[in-house]
Amino acid sequence: MIPLIGITTKRTDLQSIMPTHAVSEAYLRAIQRAGGVPVMIPASLSISQMNALVSRLDGLLLTGGGDLDPALFNGTPHPSVYDVDAERDNVEIHLIQQAVQAGFPFLCICRGIQVFNVALGGTLYTDIGSQKPDALKHDWFPGHPRDYLAHTINVKPNSRLSAILQSTNTEVNSLHHQGIHTPADGLHISATAPDGLVEAVEIPDHPFALGVQWHPEWLIKLEPMQSLFSALVRAASE
Ligand code: MN
């Protein structure tokens, strides 16, 4: 059976006559290349609708996008917080809590790793540049190529991530102005940037629960980055 991978979507043009649910094609291609079939999950589902959908899926991909509402993690409001969508926050937090509890395979990217952390009780920097004085530049957007390799990461040996990437040191893109401040209980840090910022987390005793702060979907020409999607699809087919 070909695994069905649910992919979360963002909503755009909410104030216009044609509100739209959308996802970057790069995620879809990465899942298709890995042998899965992507299924877009609307950000407007009720809990019972979401449960009905998830029960037919084999894995989940939480995508990037705007910021979580800082109120969800008692975060410091900041003028740079953008594109907050309370319904999307609720849908994604519920999906993660269910997937963690049920041992359902999932991969979280960028905003996704932040949802992963907040859903389990962790906190975020609402703006790294103004709240972490020793930080590198992580917000290489807009105006930079999506695949620009901005900084290295140190990957923890013996983590799921190091097994997938086959490396403990690699370069990644960096398209985020927020990041994990306090990791939730139960989350293991599996990669950090040179400034100490968390770049990946995982739950070791879960079938597949992994979050990365960078955007591997823009880097799938690099074999280790495509491997992240292949590993998700493989876990979803088991
Ligand atoms: Mn980064």
Side-chain angles (χ1 to χ4, degrees):
M1 290 276 273
I2 297 177
L4 304 180
I5 308 296
I7 299 190
T8 58
T9 53
K10 67 175 169 187
R11 301 193 298 172
T12 62
D13 306 310
L14 289 180
Q15 308 310 323
S16 78
I17 56 162
M18 199 170 71
T20 299
H21 294 229
V23 67
S24 161
E25 189 183 60
Y27 298 108
L28 307 176
R29 283 190 191 282
I31 291 297
Q32 288 172 245
R33 229 175 123 176
V37 172
V39 177
M40 289 165 65
I41 302 176
S44 55
L45 296 184
S46 68
I47 286 182
S48 61
Q49 290 168 337
M50 231 186 307
N51 292 344
L53 176 56
V54 171
S55 67
R56 290 163 169 84
L57 298 175
D58 303 297
L60 281 176
L61 176 63
L62 262 73
T63 58
D67 294 330
L68 282 152
D69 184 345
L72 291 168
F73 50 94
N74 203 15
T76 315
H78 192 274
S80 65
V81 171
Y82 72 102
D83 282 358
V84 171
D85 181 343
E87 279 189 74
R88 181 178 180 188
D89 289 350
N90 287 338
V91 164
E92 293 188 341
I93 285 172
H94 180 75
L95 285 171
I96 289 293
Q97 289 172 344
Q98 293 293 104
V100 167
Q101 211 171 26
F104 193 74
F106 64 94
L107 173 65
C108 302
I109 292 176
C110 198
R111 166 192 161 90
I113 189 177
Q114 297 167 11
V115 174
F116 186 7
N117 187 46
V118 168
L120 302 184
T123 65
L124 306 178
Y125 291 106
T126 45
D127 187 64
I128 296 166
S130 50
Q131 292 165 5
K132 183 172 159 54
D134 61 339
L136 297 170
K137 177 176 170 64
H138 288 272
D139 54 340
W140 291 86
F141 73 97
H144 300 276
R146 309 288 291 179
D147 60 355
Y148 175 66
L149 296 173
H151 61 74
T152 57
I153 53 167
N154 293 308
V155 182
K156 201 166 278 177
N158 305 318
S159 61
R160 181 188 298 278
L161 183 64
S162 70
I164 295 170
L165 298 179
Q166 294 284 300
S167 169
T168 53
N169 190 282
T170 191
E171 289 184 290
V172 296
N173 51 1
S174 193
L175 301 150
H176 58 111
H177 82 106
Q178 299 197 332
I180 292 180
H181 182 273
T182 308
D185 283 349
L187 283 189
H188 284 219
I189 296 171
S190 42
T192 51
D195 57 9
L197 195 77
V198 175
E199 288 276 337
V201 294
E202 55 190 73
I203 300 177
D205 54 356
H206 185 283
F208 195 99
L210 177 62
V212 299
Q213 185 59 74
W214 69 95
H215 277 273
E217 78 279 11
W218 294 108
L219 302 172
I220 59 172
K221 283 182 187 156
L222 305 172
E223 170 119 14
M225 296 300 165
Q226 174 65 38
S227 296
L228 285 163
F229 300 96
S230 304
L232 170 67
V233 171
R234 204 176 315 119
S237 61
E238 277 163 11

